[in-house]
Structure formats: C-alpha cells, structure tokens
C-alpha cells in the first residue's frame, strides 16, 4: 500500500513512524505548507517525494490512502480533493472549526468512502474495559476533565484558527463520553478568559470553561477544561454508577467499589491499533472494525461547536441526534 500525508507536524510524524514498521506499507508522499518542510519529511523515506499542492501530489502519485494531519482551520479543501478521487483517508481531530465537516460527511456517505478519525482513546484497552464494566451498571452522571497548559503554537491560541480548547483538545473527552455513555441532546457552556490573554500575545481562546451536557438516556455530565496551568495536570472521565466510580485516563482505569479499588493499564498502543484497523479496512473493504468513522466523528464535532456557541450566547443548545 502506498500512503501519502498532508501535513508535516507532530501527528504526521507519529503516524508515519507507525506505518513505517508495517509490512507491505510504503510512505511515498508528503504535502506541506512549504517545499522545505515536505521534502524534509520525504527524505526520511526511501521512495517519498515532497509537495506543496495537494492536487499535484494526487496527480503525481497513485495513493491507496492519505493521512490528513493539519491544524483545525486547514480542513475542508483537502478532504474534498480526496473525496472527488475516491481515496480513503484518515484525519486527525478536530474535523474543523465550522460547519464544513457536515457537508464532507454527506459526500463521504454518498461515495461509500472508507474513513477513520483519530479519536484514539476509543482504541485503548481501558476504554474497552470500561465499556464492558458499564454494561452491567446503571450510570447516573459523569465528570470529564482536560486540565493543562497552553500549547505554544500560534494557531492554537487563536480562536479563529483552533476553535478554542474545547473544540481542539477536550474533544477527546466529549468523544469518550459519547463512546461509553451514549448520545448528547443538550449543551450549556460557560467559558472565560482569566489570564493567558495577558501572558501570551495573540491569545483569543478562553482559558477556563465548563460544559454541562444532557444525554438521551437521561444521565448528565460536566466536562471542564483549562490551559492556565504550568504543565499538564489531568485529562480523563469519571463515570458515577450504582456500583461505584469508574475513572479513566489515557493510561489508567480505576474501578472503585466502596473501599475496594481495581486498577487496569493499557497493554497495547491505541495509535498502532487505530492505524492497523484503518488499513485493514481498506484492504478488505470492510470498515466495521473502525471505531471512529467520519460519520460518527461529526457527532462529536457538533457537540463541541454547540458548546462554543452556548458559551458565546449564554444560552443552552439543543441537538437533534439519533442514538
């Protein structure tokens, strides 16, 4: 299989390094914002070339799949180009910062195109274990967190480019809530700018926020985030049930029942799993093992945009979604 990359940043490097260890997979193209960046990445691969134009890359090479690893504001035209050529693609979250992903989802559905989105928390052993435990319990509520520092890249702190922390980062926790507990029908958010705008020039994103969510099944959740801390503190989801609390982070699950606590850790790399499943789906034509298709990821995107809108207007947002 020949794979191309749009983007040359951290996640492009991460996915490419994983693919480089897979038998029968060749990374052959990189498209970047500059030829220097694209060719710089391409030099790490024996038969890869660099490009600055997506259409040119697709004209020059017959690719079996493309990975889209670009900042939030850069989505839209790259997905459209791949859909037109019926090329399966893997896209890193978030899907964008506006309504464009809804139209993209419709076109993907019309084409029957295989897609996958990088909500890698779904592929963790811990998420699978949590899902199993929750099948046997009654859920009352959940509390989610993404409490950390501000990524020091200029586009991230610009709300018109990143969409803000809840859209760009905390989306993982929203998606995990959906995956474990079900669909969300109402969102009410409060965001504020407390200190980062004064500390870091060009900051227009809110630096603290909390979002209350009502789910179709009757449970409620609150997800809070901040980027004011000097370093990362906590990211995860606590689910409160009739038998106790299930606490999930990126590397640890705690099943707390009264005074008893059982801990579980990931045995497998979720990034590796999501890549294998995506490429296997292309080989077999069977996408049923993909845990986060574009169609599904749009539902998470809709929730995060609703939160941003609610925070701006001060009003709750009702979502119409199918379970």
């Amino acid at each position: 299989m020949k794979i191309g990359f749009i983007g040359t940043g951290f996640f492009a490097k991460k996915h490419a390094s994983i693919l480089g260890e897979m038998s029968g997979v060749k990374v052959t193209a990189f498209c970047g914002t500059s030829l220097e960046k694209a060719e710089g990445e391409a030099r790490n691969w024996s038969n890869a070339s660099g490009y600055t134009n997506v259409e040119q890359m697709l004209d020059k090479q017959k690719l079996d799949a493309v990975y889209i690893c670009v900042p939030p504001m850069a989505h839209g035209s790259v997905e459209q180009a791949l859909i037109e050529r019926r090329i399966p693609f893997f896209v890193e979250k978030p899907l964008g910062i506006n309504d464009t992903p809804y139209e993209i989802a419709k076109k993907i559905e019309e084409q029957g195109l295989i897609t996958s989105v990088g909500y890698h928390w779904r592929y963790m052993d811990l998420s699978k274990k949590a899902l199993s435990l929750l099948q046997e319990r009654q859920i009352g509520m959940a509390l989610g967190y993404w409490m950390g520092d501000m990524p020091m890249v200029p586009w991230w702190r610009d709300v018109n480019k990143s969409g803000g922390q809840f859209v760009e980062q905390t989306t993982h926790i929203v998606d995990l809530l959906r995956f474990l507990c079900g669909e969300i029908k109402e969102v009410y958010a409060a965001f504020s700018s407390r200190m980062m705008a004064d500390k870091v020039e060009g900051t227009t994103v809110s630096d603290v926020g909390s979002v209350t969510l009502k789910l179709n099944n009757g449970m409620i959740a609150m997800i809070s985030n901040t980027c004011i801390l000097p370093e990362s503190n906590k990211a995860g989801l606590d689910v409160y049930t009739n038998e106790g609390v299930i606490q999930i982070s990126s590397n640890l699950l705690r099943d707390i029942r009264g005074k008893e606590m059982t801990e579980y850790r990931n045995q497998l790399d979720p990034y590796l799993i999501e890549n294998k499943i995506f490429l296997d789906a292309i080989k077999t034509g069977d996408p049923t093992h993909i845990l986060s298709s574009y169609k599904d990821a749009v539902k998470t995107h809709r929730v995060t945009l609703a939160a941003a809108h609610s925070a701006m207007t001060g009003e709750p947002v009702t979502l119409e979604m199918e379970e």
Side-chain angles (χ1 to χ4, degrees):
M1 298 182 73
K2 292 184 177 180
I3 311 295
F5 277 83
I6 300 172
T8 58
F10 173 82
F11 278 107
K13 291 179 172 67
K14 186 171 188 65
H15 287 294
S17 66
I18 291 171
L19 299 187
E21 299 296 320
M22 292 185 182
S23 176
V25 178
K26 293 182 179 179
V27 177
T28 64
F30 286 90
C31 185
T33 53
S34 72
L35 193 58
E36 181 182 7
K37 289 181 180 179
E39 289 184 339
E41 287 304 311
R43 279 195 289 272
N44 295 321
W45 306 88
S46 58
N47 295 303
S49 300
Y51 306 89
T52 56
N53 181 278
V54 173
E55 297 286 354
Q56 182 188 33
M57 180 180 81
L58 300 179
D59 285 340
K60 292 282 187 179
Q61 297 207 21
K62 182 174 175 55
L63 299 170
D64 296 295
V66 170
Y67 280 65
I68 304 170
C69 306
V70 299
M73 71 288 185
H75 290 283
S77 61
V78 290
E79 286 89 346
Q80 300 283 10
L82 295 170
I83 292 169
E84 288 173 7
R85 296 172 187 247
R86 300 181 64 85
I87 300 174
F89 61 85
F90 181 107
V91 55
E92 266 300 337
K93 45 53 62 186
L95 299 180
I97 57 173
N98 52 33
D99 293 345
T100 301
Y102 307 147
E103 184 60 33
I104 291 172
K106 289 179 183 177
K107 292 182 178 179
I108 289 170
E109 198 72 8
E110 290 169 1
Q111 295 275 20
L113 199 62
I114 291 175
T115 59
S116 183
V117 178
Y119 283 111
H120 69 279
W121 285 58
R122 291 190 176 215
Y123 294 88
M124 298 191 307
D125 302 339
L126 304 182
S127 298
K128 184 177 180 181
K129 182 65 178 178
L131 200 58
S132 174
L133 292 172
L134 290 170
Q135 297 303 311
E136 305 167 359
R137 306 181 189 185
Q138 185 176 359
I139 305 171
M141 67 179 297
L143 299 176
Y145 314 88
W146 197 288
M147 320 303 269
D149 55 349
M150 177 177 281
M152 287 302 161
V153 288
W155 61 261
W156 197 94
R157 56 184 178 264
D158 183 344
V159 71
N160 293 316
K161 293 181 178 179
S162 69
Q165 185 179 13
F166 202 81
V167 170
E168 204 286 325
Q169 218 171 36
T170 316
T171 183
H172 276 301
I173 307 305
V174 175
D175 192 72
L176 183 64
L177 175 68
R178 285 188 53 243
F179 182 61
L180 295 178
C181 302
E183 297 301 350
I184 297 156
K185 67 177 182 179
E186 189 174 332
V187 177
Y188 178 71
F191 294 171
S192 185
S193 179
R194 296 291 296 154
M195 59 193 74
M196 296 310 293
D198 294 328
K199 287 186 175 182
V200 183
E201 185 178 356
T203 296
T204 58
V205 297
S206 300
D207 55 20
V208 295
S210 286
V211 182
T212 300
L213 310 106
K214 294 181 181 179
L215 278 70
N216 287 351
N217 59 17
M219 69 170 285
I220 61 171
M222 177 174 281
I223 299 176
S224 298
N225 61 207
T226 186
C227 56
I228 67 172
L229 300 176
E231 60 184 30
S232 180
N233 169 258
K234 182 177 184 178
L237 186 70
D238 298 344
V239 185
Y240 294 81
T241 79
N242 61 322
E243 294 189 24
V245 187
I246 294 175
Q247 297 178 335
I248 312 148
S249 67
S250 62
N251 58 11
L252 178 67
L253 184 150
R254 288 193 173 111
D255 181 12
I256 304 169
R257 301 193 191 194
K259 295 181 180 179
E260 295 181 4
M261 182 175 71
T262 307
E263 292 188 343
Y264 304 89
R265 293 188 181 274
N266 285 320
Q267 301 300 311
L268 301 172
D269 179 358
Y271 288 103
L272 174 62
I273 301 301
E274 70 177 353
N275 276 282
K276 281 186 173 180
I277 288 176
F278 172 59
L279 296 185
D280 284 345
I282 297 171
K283 292 175 186 176
T284 63
D286 177 12
T288 55
H289 296 294
I290 292 174
L291 298 181
S292 182
S293 65
Y294 199 98
K295 180 181 179 180
D296 187 88
V298 159
K299 296 179 182 180
T300 297
H301 179 68
R302 183 176 279 116
V303 174
T304 60
L305 287 194
H309 182 74
S310 175
M312 182 175 63
T313 64
E315 299 291 334
V317 176
T318 300
L319 303 172
E320 293 184 5
M321 290 187 179
E322 295 180 0
E323 187 69 48

